[in-house]
Every structure is written in structure tokens, then in C-alpha cells.
Amino acid sequence: MAAPNFRKWLAIGAGVGIEVGARELRIVVARVRPTGVRVLGATTIEGFRERPATEWGAEYAAFLKKLGASHLVASVLLPRHEVIVRPVNLPGVAAGDLEAAVGFQLESLHPYPEDEAACAWARIPRAAWVLVEIARQAAVERYAELFSEAGIKVASFTVSATAIRSAIRLLATPPAAFVTYHDAGGEVELYGESEARPLFSAVFDPPLERALPLALAELRLDAAQESLPLQQMLPAPRWTPPDFDLSRATLAYAAALAGACPRLATAANLLPAPLRQTSSRAIYVPTLVLGGLLAIVLAALAVSGTLENRRYLERLDAEIAKLEPRAKRLSQMDGQVAAARARTQLLDDFQRRSKADLDALDELTKLLAPPSWLNCLELNRAGVILSGEAEQAASLLKILDASPMFRNSEFTTGITRVGGAEVFRIRTQREGGPQ
């Protein structure tokens, strides 16, 4: 049974997700509440790389104004092939030392010259892993300048893996191990999590059937592990516009969900801090007022419930005080019965042990027939040690192991001949004894 997800009651907000494609921008505006998600609108801006930024920026502004969402800032997903995603294991590193630890390993995580790499990282909760995003500094600056020219307010530059991880946890708790995929048109993006690796993200050439085993191997998952389309792992929207196609705008939808509740999202952001913008907080005033009223009502109910619980506990303590002497007597009687049973069991075990020892002596008497004889016999619960003489001592091991009472017979010393007999010392284990 899945644990309740209390975080979803903090999932309140609205966000804009922008997926940067090869020639287009896919945009989704979503409103998040603990009860579900409403997609307010979605659009695609074609040819943004060739058109003047002011032109398609005006198109974007008109789209948000139509939805009454001009105050929202955007969470932008940079193209997956332009960002390197690396989960780094840093066990035992304190929170205050994480930045230095990540910086120490950064050079080994990317192929760029040191001064040409932009890096962002975020610690994965309840794990010793850190999610690191790396892109060319020139690419980050180019996109920042492009969106600035278009007049688009941007809160973050991130990558699909980070948005997916945040979105699937917004209103539900995902499975401990899973793999999901997204057909990005000409390439397949796979995302997964497991106990061995808290995050895996990669882009493969189709078909999916060839890429999936590679992802399962990286995650140390069974080859029979079921994989689901990404749109089925994300929170299903309660309402969408009639023309909204989630399969085409999956990543933009995930970015919108992560941007709507940034405090609940994985906070890896490649956009330089001075360029980040935030949404106007005035829109949250009605929500905060209603939340305050709800908190007052809940507090009153909690106080009332506490008083009633206190009265109930007082009555319960009184009844316990009445029954406590009787319970102590019953506990003492239980102890006496248990002690009597233990003594009886001890006597029974001793009786069975004596009979077993006599049976073992009787069996040895039969097996070691004259002219063989013993000058020493040590018998315990685990085995028997025999010392004596016989005409042919070597055959005694086979004779003893053939008996149902003995096993694993062996000579503890070499056989020596004295006169016409062979002197031996044998150790054998008793069947049913300790191993």
C-alpha cells in the first residue's frame, strides 16, 4: 500500500512551461491544486529561430493575456541534446560541503573547457545523490538573450529530466522503480528511477525496443520491467482545452507543473541568478486569506477534539486502575505456567537424551564386533570419539557411515600397527546432533 502523499496539499500555483524544440516552442499554461490540474491553454510558436524575437514574443504575450496569465513567469526546458545530466553519488557529504564536492568532480562530468561550462545542481531528497546539469555557457547565454529580446519573463532554464522528476511527485508518490519513455519525434527519451540509481535520463535513436534494455541495465532492473509512456506517469489533467494533445506537449506540460510549484520541485536552474524572475505574489492573496480561515477552523476543531480526547483518557485511566491488580495476578500466573512447562520440557529432553545415548552405545557395540575393541570412548550430543584396536581399521569408517546413527566419520590420527592389530582414533558425528 502506497504511503500518503502529504506534499500534494502544498501543491498550489500556476505555471508556464516552454519546451525548446528544433524549430518550435511548445507552450503549456497549467494551474495546480491539491485536487488536480487544469490546463488553461497550450500553443506552439513555429520558426522562432528564424523570426524576429519581438514578433514571436508578442505572439506569446497575446497568448498569456488571453488566458489572464500575463503575470506568470516561464520554466524553459532547453533541448535535451544541449544539456548533460549526471547523477553524482556523494555519501557522507554534509549539506554545507556539497557545493565544494560537486565543484571538485565537475571537470570529470563534461567534455567542455572549464570556462565554457555552465553548471546547476540540486540534492535529491532522502538520498546521497546530487543531480547535476551541465551546458555550454554560450548556449545558456544565447537562449537568455533570445528570451530577453522576446520580452518573455523566465524563472528557470532546466532540462526534461528535472521537470519530469518534479512533476510526477507533485500530486502522487511514484513507484520505487520504474522506466518511462517519450517519443520526441525522431528520437526516444527514457527516464527512470531505481534503488541502485535514483535518476536515469538519456536520449536514444528509435526504436524503443532497442533502447529500453539499455535503460533497464543502467537502472539494474529486471528485463521484464514494464515501461509506460511519460504522459501516463504525469498527473492526469482534470480539464483541458478541446484542442489540447498531451502526447505532443508532454514535456512542456511537465515543465508547467514544476514551475507552478517551485518549492516542491527539484531546484536545478541553469539560468544565472540575476536573470531569474518571479511571478507576482499578489495573485496568492485570496488563496492565503482562505487558507488562513481554513487554518482557524481546523484549529478550533483540533482544540475541541483535544478536550474530548482528554476526558476520554481520564475515564480510560480510571478503568485501567481498577483492572490493574487483576492483570498483575494473571501475569504472575502466566509466568508460573511458563516455568512449569519449561521444567517439564527439560525433563522430557533429558529422558530422550539418555535413551539416545544408550541407543548409540548399543549400535557401536554391534558395529565394532570382536576382535575389535576400544580402550577409550567419548560420547557427547554432537558426536563420538573412538580409540582402540582392530585387525583392519581402514574399513571402520565405511562401517560407521553405513549406520543410520552416524555420519562423516574420519581418522583424527594416522593408523599405526602394534603387533598383529592396527591402532586407530576415529571421530564421527551423530545423526540429529548439532551441525
Side-chain angles (χ1 to χ4, degrees):
M1 180 177 179
N5 182 18
F6 297 108
R7 294 172 72 252
K8 79 173 188 177
W9 299 107
L10 303 176
I12 299 174
V16 180
I18 301 178
E19 177 193 357
V20 179
R23 297 189 64 258
E24 74 287 334
L25 297 176
R26 292 191 177 93
I27 305 166
V28 173
V29 182
R31 178 183 295 145
V32 179
R33 295 293 184 269
T35 54
V37 179
R38 290 174 60 91
V39 176
L40 304 183
T43 189
T44 301
I45 296 178
E46 300 288 351
F48 78 99
R49 297 183 187 272
E50 297 83 17
R51 296 165 55 191
T54 54
E55 180 181 318
W56 55 265
E59 183 179 335
Y60 172 86
F63 168 70
L64 291 191
K65 184 176 181 180
K66 178 182 176 182
L67 299 177
S70 299
H71 59 283
L72 296 179
V73 295
S75 297
V76 178
L77 296 186
L78 300 183
R80 182 62 182 83
H81 63 273
E82 295 188 31
V83 183
I84 297 172
V85 178
R86 292 280 190 271
V88 179
N89 191 14
L90 298 173
V93 179
D97 299 329
L98 276 178
E99 184 172 359
V102 172
F104 181 75
Q105 298 197 22
L106 185 60
E107 187 176 347
S108 63
L109 301 178
H110 64 84
Y112 312 133
E114 183 178 357
D115 57 347
E116 294 183 14
C119 169
W121 59 271
R123 187 164 196 167
I124 297 177
R126 296 180 295 279
W129 292 75
V130 173
L131 171 62
V132 181
E133 298 177 357
I134 307 169
R136 284 190 178 275
Q137 183 67 42
V140 174
E141 292 174 355
R142 183 176 70 252
Y143 284 115
E145 182 179 357
L146 186 63
F147 282 96
S148 177
E149 290 179 5
I152 295 177
K153 296 182 292 185
V154 178
S156 66
F157 281 170
T158 185
V159 71
S160 54
T162 307
I164 292 170
R165 189 181 192 283
S166 301
I168 62 177
R169 287 171 166 77
L170 202 56
L171 298 177
T173 301
F178 67 91
V179 177
T180 185
Y181 62 88
H182 173 62
D183 187 348
E187 59 185 18
V188 177
E189 182 172 355
L190 289 172
Y191 176 89
E193 298 178 12
S194 68
E195 292 184 2
R197 188 161 181 168
L199 186 146
F200 171 79
S201 173
V203 175
F204 298 90
D205 293 329
L208 174 65
E209 291 73 17
R210 185 174 61 182
L212 187 58
L214 299 176
L216 293 174
E218 285 286 339
L219 291 165
R220 309 295 190 271
L221 295 179
D222 189 85
Q225 175 76 33
E226 181 184 8
S227 60
L228 296 174
L230 175 58
Q231 64 191 73
Q232 295 185 23
M233 292 292 298
L234 298 174
R238 297 181 59 191
W239 184 90
T240 65
D243 59 345
F244 179 68
D245 185 357
L246 181 56
S247 63
R248 290 176 54 85
T250 308
L251 296 181
Y253 175 66
L257 297 184
C261 305
R263 294 184 180 277
L264 303 181
T266 302
N269 189 349
L270 286 166
L271 184 65
L275 302 180
R276 300 172 189 174
Q277 301 191 46
T278 58
S279 300
S280 172
R281 298 184 179 180
I283 61 170
Y284 298 113
V285 171
T287 302
L288 293 175
V289 171
L290 292 176
L293 294 176
L294 178 61
I296 293 173
V297 173
L298 292 176
L301 291 175
V303 171
S304 175
T306 301
L307 293 176
E308 184 62 30
N309 288 338
R310 184 178 299 172
R311 297 191 190 99
Y312 176 75
L313 288 175
E314 290 174 354
R315 293 195 298 269
L316 189 62
D317 289 340
E319 290 297 324
I320 291 174
K322 290 182 185 178
L323 297 175
E324 190 171 5
R326 187 181 302 176
K328 288 183 178 179
R329 288 195 298 273
L330 290 175
S331 178
Q332 292 173 355
M333 292 177 64
D334 288 342
Q336 293 171 0
V337 170
R341 287 178 179 171
R343 288 193 294 271
T344 303
Q345 184 66 38
L346 180 63
L347 292 174
D348 291 344
D349 291 344
F350 182 78
Q351 184 178 7
R352 285 193 295 269
R353 187 182 307 165
S354 300
K355 184 178 183 306
D357 291 345
L358 290 174
D359 291 342
L361 289 174
D362 182 59
E363 181 72 6
L364 289 171
T365 302
K366 295 176 182 178
L367 295 176
L368 303 177
S372 300
W373 62 279
L374 301 178
N375 54 28
C376 180
L377 185 146
E378 299 179 19
L379 180 67
N380 56 44
R381 302 305 306 149
V384 183
I385 297 178
L386 311 170
S387 299
E389 299 181 5
E391 289 184 346
Q392 298 292 331
S395 63
L396 295 180
L397 298 183
K398 184 175 181 181
I399 293 173
L400 290 170
D401 286 345
S403 170
M405 290 189 176
F406 306 104
R407 55 187 170 84
N408 300 333
S409 302
E410 60 181 353
F411 288 107
T412 60
T413 61
I415 300 173
T416 58
R417 176 167 289 279
V418 177
E422 293 180 348
V423 178
F424 62 86
R425 182 177 175 83
I426 297 174
R427 178 173 56 230
T428 184
Q429 297 179 16
R430 298 175 63 179
E431 289 289 349
Q435 297 294 320

